[in-house]
PDB file of all heavy atoms in Angstrom:
ATOM      1  N   PHE A 106       8.881  -8.501  34.182  1.00  0.00           N
ATOM      2  CA  PHE A 106       9.237  -9.483  33.167  1.00  0.00           C
ATOM      3  C   PHE A 106       9.804  -8.764  31.949  1.00  0.00           C
ATOM      4  O   PHE A 106       9.375  -7.661  31.600  1.00  0.00           O
ATOM      5  CB  PHE A 106       8.000 -10.279  32.723  1.00  0.00           C
ATOM      6  CG  PHE A 106       7.567 -11.361  33.661  1.00  0.00           C
ATOM      7  CD1 PHE A 106       6.887 -11.059  34.831  1.00  0.00           C
ATOM      8  CD2 PHE A 106       7.820 -12.703  33.370  1.00  0.00           C
ATOM      9  CE1 PHE A 106       6.470 -12.050  35.707  1.00  0.00           C
ATOM     10  CE2 PHE A 106       7.412 -13.708  34.231  1.00  0.00           C
ATOM     11  CZ  PHE A 106       6.729 -13.394  35.398  1.00  0.00           C
ATOM     12  N   TYR A 107      10.728  -9.418  31.280  1.00  0.00           N
ATOM     13  CA  TYR A 107      11.266  -8.897  30.024  1.00  0.00           C
ATOM     14  C   TYR A 107      10.225  -9.098  28.930  1.00  0.00           C
ATOM     15  O   TYR A 107       9.741 -10.215  28.717  1.00  0.00           O
ATOM     16  CB  TYR A 107      12.557  -9.632  29.677  1.00  0.00           C
ATOM     17  CG  TYR A 107      13.179  -9.235  28.367  1.00  0.00           C
ATOM     18  CD1 TYR A 107      13.455  -7.899  28.089  1.00  0.00           C
ATOM     19  CD2 TYR A 107      13.512 -10.192  27.413  1.00  0.00           C
ATOM     20  CE1 TYR A 107      14.043  -7.532  26.879  1.00  0.00           C
ATOM     21  CE2 TYR A 107      14.100  -9.828  26.209  1.00  0.00           C
ATOM     22  CZ  TYR A 107      14.360  -8.501  25.952  1.00  0.00           C
ATOM     23  OH  TYR A 107      14.934  -8.136  24.760  1.00  0.00           O
ATOM     24  N   ILE A 108       9.870  -8.011  28.228  1.00  0.00           N
ATOM     25  CA  ILE A 108       8.825  -8.118  27.204  1.00  0.00           C
ATOM     26  C   ILE A 108       9.393  -8.195  25.789  1.00  0.00           C
ATOM     27  O   ILE A 108       8.629  -8.257  24.818  1.00  0.00           O
ATOM     28  CB  ILE A 108       7.800  -6.979  27.308  1.00  0.00           C
ATOM     29  CG1 ILE A 108       8.430  -5.619  26.988  1.00  0.00           C
ATOM     30  CG2 ILE A 108       7.142  -6.966  28.687  1.00  0.00           C
ATOM     31  CD1 ILE A 108       7.403  -4.498  26.840  1.00  0.00           C
ATOM     32  N   ALA A 109      10.710  -8.198  25.646  1.00  0.00           N
ATOM     33  CA  ALA A 109      11.376  -8.434  24.367  1.00  0.00           C
ATOM     34  C   ALA A 109      10.809  -7.525  23.266  1.00  0.00           C
ATOM     35  O   ALA A 109      10.676  -6.318  23.446  1.00  0.00           O
ATOM     36  CB  ALA A 109      11.283  -9.922  23.998  1.00  0.00           C
ATOM     37  N   SER A 110      10.424  -8.111  22.129  1.00  0.00           N
ATOM     38  CA  SER A 110      10.031  -7.301  20.968  1.00  0.00           C
ATOM     39  C   SER A 110       8.725  -6.542  21.138  1.00  0.00           C
ATOM     40  O   SER A 110       8.402  -5.680  20.305  1.00  0.00           O
ATOM     41  CB  SER A 110       9.946  -8.184  19.722  1.00  0.00           C
ATOM     42  OG  SER A 110      11.240  -8.504  19.254  1.00  0.00           O
ATOM     43  N   ALA A 111       7.967  -6.836  22.188  1.00  0.00           N
ATOM     44  CA  ALA A 111       6.785  -6.010  22.470  1.00  0.00           C
ATOM     45  C   ALA A 111       7.204  -4.578  22.797  1.00  0.00           C
ATOM     46  O   ALA A 111       6.367  -3.665  22.819  1.00  0.00           O
ATOM     47  CB  ALA A 111       5.973  -6.617  23.613  1.00  0.00           C
ATOM     48  N   THR A 112       8.493  -4.360  23.023  1.00  0.00           N
ATOM     49  CA  THR A 112       9.054  -3.016  23.223  1.00  0.00           C
ATOM     50  C   THR A 112       8.832  -2.127  22.003  1.00  0.00           C
ATOM     51  O   THR A 112       8.726  -0.899  22.127  1.00  0.00           O
ATOM     52  CB  THR A 112      10.568  -3.123  23.515  1.00  0.00           C
ATOM     53  OG1 THR A 112      10.774  -3.892  24.704  1.00  0.00           O
ATOM     54  CG2 THR A 112      11.224  -1.755  23.668  1.00  0.00           C
ATOM     55  N   LYS A 113       8.772  -2.727  20.815  1.00  0.00           N
ATOM     56  CA  LYS A 113       8.704  -1.924  19.590  1.00  0.00           C
ATOM     57  C   LYS A 113       7.532  -0.952  19.588  1.00  0.00           C
ATOM     58  O   LYS A 113       7.642   0.170  19.074  1.00  0.00           O
ATOM     59  CB  LYS A 113       8.638  -2.842  18.371  1.00  0.00           C
ATOM     60  CG  LYS A 113       9.918  -3.608  18.083  1.00  0.00           C
ATOM     61  CD  LYS A 113       9.784  -4.475  16.851  1.00  0.00           C
ATOM     62  CE  LYS A 113      11.115  -5.144  16.489  1.00  0.00           C
ATOM     63  NZ  LYS A 113      11.514  -6.179  17.460  1.00  0.00           N
ATOM     64  N   TYR A 203      10.354  -8.526   8.793  1.00  0.00           N
ATOM     65  CA  TYR A 203      10.504  -8.231  10.219  1.00  0.00           C
ATOM     66  C   TYR A 203      11.958  -8.381  10.662  1.00  0.00           C
ATOM     67  O   TYR A 203      12.559  -9.454  10.541  1.00  0.00           O
ATOM     68  CB  TYR A 203       9.617  -9.169  11.026  1.00  0.00           C
ATOM     69  CG  TYR A 203       9.606  -8.871  12.505  1.00  0.00           C
ATOM     70  CD1 TYR A 203       8.735  -7.924  13.024  1.00  0.00           C
ATOM     71  CD2 TYR A 203      10.472  -9.516  13.376  1.00  0.00           C
ATOM     72  CE1 TYR A 203       8.725  -7.633  14.372  1.00  0.00           C
ATOM     73  CE2 TYR A 203      10.469  -9.236  14.730  1.00  0.00           C
ATOM     74  CZ  TYR A 203       9.602  -8.301  15.225  1.00  0.00           C
ATOM     75  OH  TYR A 203       9.592  -8.014  16.566  1.00  0.00           O
ATOM     76  N   ASN A 205      15.026  -6.424  13.665  1.00  0.00           N
ATOM     77  CA  ASN A 205      15.295  -5.419  14.690  1.00  0.00           C
ATOM     78  C   ASN A 205      16.012  -4.196  14.110  1.00  0.00           C
ATOM     79  O   ASN A 205      16.012  -3.123  14.720  1.00  0.00           O
ATOM     80  CB  ASN A 205      16.164  -6.001  15.806  1.00  0.00           C
ATOM     81  CG  ASN A 205      15.386  -6.902  16.747  1.00  0.00           C
ATOM     82  OD1 ASN A 205      14.155  -6.852  16.810  1.00  0.00           O
ATOM     83  ND2 ASN A 205      16.096  -7.741  17.478  1.00  0.00           N
ATOM     84  N   LYS A 273      19.463 -10.960  30.160  1.00  0.00           N
ATOM     85  CA  LYS A 273      19.579  -9.594  29.673  1.00  0.00           C
ATOM     86  C   LYS A 273      20.332  -8.708  30.669  1.00  0.00           C
ATOM     87  O   LYS A 273      20.212  -8.875  31.886  1.00  0.00           O
ATOM     88  CB  LYS A 273      18.187  -9.014  29.414  1.00  0.00           C
ATOM     89  CG  LYS A 273      17.601  -9.424  28.075  1.00  0.00           C
ATOM     90  CD  LYS A 273      18.348  -8.765  26.923  1.00  0.00           C
ATOM     91  CE  LYS A 273      17.870  -9.206  25.573  1.00  0.00           C
ATOM     92  NZ  LYS A 273      18.572  -8.529  24.472  1.00  0.00           N
ATOM     93  N   MET A 278      19.752  -4.271  26.307  1.00  0.00           N
ATOM     94  CA  MET A 278      18.377  -3.758  26.260  1.00  0.00           C
ATOM     95  C   MET A 278      18.346  -2.662  25.197  1.00  0.00           C
ATOM     96  O   MET A 278      19.032  -1.635  25.328  1.00  0.00           O
ATOM     97  CB  MET A 278      17.963  -3.218  27.620  1.00  0.00           C
ATOM     98  CG  MET A 278      17.984  -4.263  28.730  1.00  0.00           C
ATOM     99  SD  MET A 278      16.613  -5.440  28.659  1.00  0.00           S
ATOM    100  CE  MET A 278      15.385  -4.573  29.632  1.00  0.00           C
ATOM    101  N   HIS A 279      17.573  -2.856  24.145  1.00  0.00           N
ATOM    102  CA  HIS A 279      17.654  -1.972  22.991  1.00  0.00           C
ATOM    103  C   HIS A 279      16.258  -1.583  22.511  1.00  0.00           C
ATOM    104  O   HIS A 279      15.247  -2.126  22.967  1.00  0.00           O
ATOM    105  CB  HIS A 279      18.435  -2.660  21.871  1.00  0.00           C
ATOM    106  CG  HIS A 279      17.829  -3.965  21.446  1.00  0.00           C
ATOM    107  ND1 HIS A 279      17.135  -4.122  20.283  1.00  0.00           N
ATOM    108  CD2 HIS A 279      17.803  -5.178  22.060  1.00  0.00           C
ATOM    109  CE1 HIS A 279      16.710  -5.372  20.183  1.00  0.00           C
ATOM    110  NE2 HIS A 279      17.103  -6.035  21.255  1.00  0.00           N
ATOM    111  N   SER A 280      16.205  -0.664  21.564  1.00  0.00           N
ATOM    112  CA  SER A 280      14.934  -0.051  21.180  1.00  0.00           C
ATOM    113  C   SER A 280      13.971  -1.003  20.486  1.00  0.00           C
ATOM    114  O   SER A 280      12.775  -0.724  20.402  1.00  0.00           O
ATOM    115  CB  SER A 280      15.187   1.157  20.272  1.00  0.00           C
ATOM    116  OG  SER A 280      15.862   0.767  19.084  1.00  0.00           O
ATOM    117  N   ALA A 281      14.453  -2.122  19.992  1.00  0.00           N
ATOM    118  CA  ALA A 281      13.580  -3.120  19.374  1.00  0.00           C
ATOM    119  C   ALA A 281      13.224  -4.232  20.350  1.00  0.00           C
ATOM    120  O   ALA A 281      12.436  -5.116  20.013  1.00  0.00           O
ATOM    121  CB  ALA A 281      14.252  -3.718  18.137  1.00  0.00           C
ATOM    122  N   GLY A 282      13.785  -4.192  21.557  1.00  0.00           N
ATOM    123  CA  GLY A 282      13.515  -5.234  22.545  1.00  0.00           C
ATOM    124  C   GLY A 282      14.230  -4.964  23.847  1.00  0.00           C
ATOM    125  O   GLY A 282      15.164  -5.675  24.192  1.00  0.00           O
ATOM    126  N   GLY A 283      13.784  -3.941  24.598  1.00  0.00           N
ATOM    127  CA  GLY A 283      14.570  -3.553  25.758  1.00  0.00           C
ATOM    128  C   GLY A 283      13.806  -3.023  26.937  1.00  0.00           C
ATOM    129  O   GLY A 283      14.296  -2.130  27.632  1.00  0.00           O
ATOM    130  N   LEU A 284      12.609  -3.551  27.224  1.00  0.00           N
ATOM    131  CA  LEU A 284      11.874  -3.100  28.404  1.00  0.00           C
ATOM    132  C   LEU A 284      11.500  -4.281  29.288  1.00  0.00           C
ATOM    133  O   LEU A 284      11.280  -5.389  28.808  1.00  0.00           O
ATOM    134  CB  LEU A 284      10.585  -2.375  27.998  1.00  0.00           C
ATOM    135  CG  LEU A 284      10.714  -1.010  27.325  1.00  0.00           C
ATOM    136  CD1 LEU A 284       9.340  -0.511  26.896  1.00  0.00           C
ATOM    137  CD2 LEU A 284      11.392   0.002  28.252  1.00  0.00           C
ATOM    138  N   ILE A 285      11.437  -4.020  30.590  1.00  0.00           N
ATOM    139  CA  ILE A 285      10.808  -4.942  31.525  1.00  0.00           C
ATOM    140  C   ILE A 285       9.566  -4.246  32.069  1.00  0.00           C
ATOM    141  O   ILE A 285       9.535  -3.025  32.207  1.00  0.00           O
ATOM    142  CB  ILE A 285      11.749  -5.360  32.682  1.00  0.00           C
ATOM    143  CG1 ILE A 285      12.354  -4.135  33.380  1.00  0.00           C
ATOM    144  CG2 ILE A 285      12.829  -6.297  32.191  1.00  0.00           C
ATOM    145  CD1 ILE A 285      13.177  -4.478  34.615  1.00  0.00           C
ATOM    146  N   HIS A 354       1.513  -7.595  19.639  1.00  0.00           N
ATOM    147  CA  HIS A 354       2.952  -7.784  19.464  1.00  0.00           C
ATOM    148  C   HIS A 354       3.439  -8.751  20.516  1.00  0.00           C
ATOM    149  O   HIS A 354       3.079  -8.643  21.693  1.00  0.00           O
ATOM    150  CB  HIS A 354       3.730  -6.474  19.549  1.00  0.00           C
ATOM    151  CG  HIS A 354       4.892  -6.454  18.587  1.00  0.00           C
ATOM    152  ND1 HIS A 354       5.929  -7.347  18.664  1.00  0.00           N
ATOM    153  CD2 HIS A 354       5.147  -5.679  17.504  1.00  0.00           C
ATOM    154  CE1 HIS A 354       6.782  -7.106  17.683  1.00  0.00           C
ATOM    155  NE2 HIS A 354       6.324  -6.104  16.951  1.00  0.00           N
ATOM    156  N   PHE A 355       4.225  -9.712  20.067  1.00  0.00           N
ATOM    157  CA  PHE A 355       4.779 -10.699  20.968  1.00  0.00           C
ATOM    158  C   PHE A 355       6.294 -10.507  21.034  1.00  0.00           C
ATOM    159  O   PHE A 355       6.870  -9.737  20.270  1.00  0.00           O
ATOM    160  CB  PHE A 355       4.463 -12.119  20.502  1.00  0.00           C
ATOM    161  CG  PHE A 355       2.995 -12.370  20.224  1.00  0.00           C
ATOM    162  CD1 PHE A 355       2.590 -13.314  19.300  1.00  0.00           C
ATOM    163  CD2 PHE A 355       2.013 -11.646  20.897  1.00  0.00           C
ATOM    164  CE1 PHE A 355       1.247 -13.548  19.043  1.00  0.00           C
ATOM    165  CE2 PHE A 355       0.656 -11.865  20.656  1.00  0.00           C
ATOM    166  CZ  PHE A 355       0.280 -12.828  19.712  1.00  0.00           C
ATOM    167  N   GLY A 356       6.941 -11.216  21.941  1.00  0.00           N
ATOM    168  CA  GLY A 356       8.386 -11.135  22.030  1.00  0.00           C
ATOM    169  C   GLY A 356       8.941 -12.327  22.777  1.00  0.00           C
ATOM    170  O   GLY A 356       8.274 -12.883  23.654  1.00  0.00           O
ATOM    171  N   ASN A 357      10.150 -12.732  22.427  1.00  0.00           N
ATOM    172  CA  ASN A 357      10.814 -13.798  23.180  1.00  0.00           C
ATOM    173  C   ASN A 357      12.321 -13.676  23.022  1.00  0.00           C
ATOM    174  O   ASN A 357      12.822 -13.158  22.027  1.00  0.00           O
ATOM    175  CB  ASN A 357      10.345 -15.180  22.716  1.00  0.00           C
ATOM    176  CG  ASN A 357      10.885 -15.553  21.347  1.00  0.00           C
ATOM    177  OD1 ASN A 357      10.503 -14.947  20.347  1.00  0.00           O
ATOM    178  ND2 ASN A 357      11.771 -16.529  21.300  1.00  0.00           N
ATOM    179  N   PHE A 358      13.029 -14.160  24.020  1.00  0.00           N
ATOM    180  CA  PHE A 358      14.487 -14.162  23.976  1.00  0.00           C
ATOM    181  C   PHE A 358      15.026 -14.962  25.150  1.00  0.00           C
ATOM    182  O   PHE A 358      14.715 -14.657  26.312  1.00  0.00           O
ATOM    183  CB  PHE A 358      15.050 -12.737  24.048  1.00  0.00           C
ATOM    184  CG  PHE A 358      16.559 -12.673  23.959  1.00  0.00           C
ATOM    185  CD1 PHE A 358      17.187 -12.642  22.729  1.00  0.00           C
ATOM    186  CD2 PHE A 358      17.341 -12.660  25.098  1.00  0.00           C
ATOM    187  CE1 PHE A 358      18.576 -12.590  22.635  1.00  0.00           C
ATOM    188  CE2 PHE A 358      18.723 -12.599  25.026  1.00  0.00           C
ATOM    189  CZ  PHE A 358      19.348 -12.567  23.788  1.00  0.00           C
ATOM    190  N   SER A 361      12.511 -16.000  27.923  1.00  0.00           N
ATOM    191  CA  SER A 361      11.424 -15.077  28.263  1.00  0.00           C
ATOM    192  C   SER A 361      10.454 -15.005  27.087  1.00  0.00           C
ATOM    193  O   SER A 361      10.875 -15.044  25.931  1.00  0.00           O
ATOM    194  CB  SER A 361      11.955 -13.677  28.568  1.00  0.00           C
ATOM    195  OG  SER A 361      12.798 -13.685  29.698  1.00  0.00           O
ATOM    196  N   ARG A 362       9.170 -14.870  27.388  1.00  0.00           N
ATOM    197  CA  ARG A 362       8.148 -14.801  26.326  1.00  0.00           C
ATOM    198  C   ARG A 362       7.042 -13.850  26.774  1.00  0.00           C
ATOM    199  O   ARG A 362       6.589 -13.914  27.919  1.00  0.00           O
ATOM    200  CB  ARG A 362       7.577 -16.199  26.079  1.00  0.00           C
ATOM    201  CG  ARG A 362       6.408 -16.258  25.103  1.00  0.00           C
ATOM    202  CD  ARG A 362       6.850 -16.113  23.656  1.00  0.00           C
ATOM    203  NE  ARG A 362       5.886 -16.740  22.751  1.00  0.00           N
ATOM    204  CZ  ARG A 362       4.744 -16.177  22.354  1.00  0.00           C
ATOM    205  NH1 ARG A 362       4.402 -14.979  22.796  1.00  0.00           N
ATOM    206  NH2 ARG A 362       3.945 -16.821  21.529  1.00  0.00           N
ATOM    207  N   ALA A 363       6.622 -12.964  25.879  1.00  0.00           N
ATOM    208  CA  ALA A 363       5.573 -11.996  26.189  1.00  0.00           C
ATOM    209  C   ALA A 363       4.516 -11.997  25.094  1.00  0.00           C
ATOM    210  O   ALA A 363       4.842 -12.075  23.906  1.00  0.00           O
ATOM    211  CB  ALA A 363       6.157 -10.594  26.338  1.00  0.00           C
TER     212      ALA A 363
END
Side-chain angles (χ1 to χ4, degrees):
F106 282 76
Y107 177 54
I108 66 170
S110 285
T112 299
K113 290 181 175 70
Y203 185 86
N205 284 341
K273 278 290 176 178
M278 299 286 271
H279 58 105
S280 61
L284 290 175
I285 52 174
H354 216 298
F355 308 152
N357 72 292
F358 182 86
S361 297
R362 174 76 155 80

